[in-house]
Amino acid sequence: MSAHAGSTGAAPVAVHPPAGTGGRRVTVRGRILGLAHSDADVVEFLRVAGLPDADGLLDDPSWVMWSGGRAHHYEAA
């Protein structure tokens, strides 16, 4: 993953709506990284994907798009 967000204008990281059982699917450019149950999970998925300083990007809309539900909430829908 590059050191800056893509030039297409769309955030490369998507945190999808909470699942009925809790947790949120996290994707990078359409590739599923896993099911996060906390911000720490999202940061770890992004670290493994090659973005070591991801914790500072969770509230940056040029990097992360939170869809469905409030950002940083992982409870069941």
Side-chain angles (χ1 to χ4, degrees):
M1 187 175 297
S2 70
H4 56 82
S7 60
T8 63
V13 179
V15 181
H16 298 270
T21 56
R24 298 174 82 146
R25 187 168 38 110
V26 178
T27 60
V28 172
R29 293 188 171 96
R31 190 183 87 180
I32 298 171
L33 299 183
L35 185 68
H37 292 275
S38 68
D39 284 352
D41 290 345
V42 177
V43 169
E44 179 60 12
F45 293 154
L46 298 179
R47 184 194 66 76
V48 169
L51 192 61
D53 298 323
D55 55 336
L57 301 176
L58 295 184
D59 291 315
D60 182 343
S62 68
W63 275 98
V64 179
M65 178 186 69
W66 295 84
S67 65
R70 295 184 341 213
H72 310 287
H73 289 264
Y74 298 85
E75 297 82 22

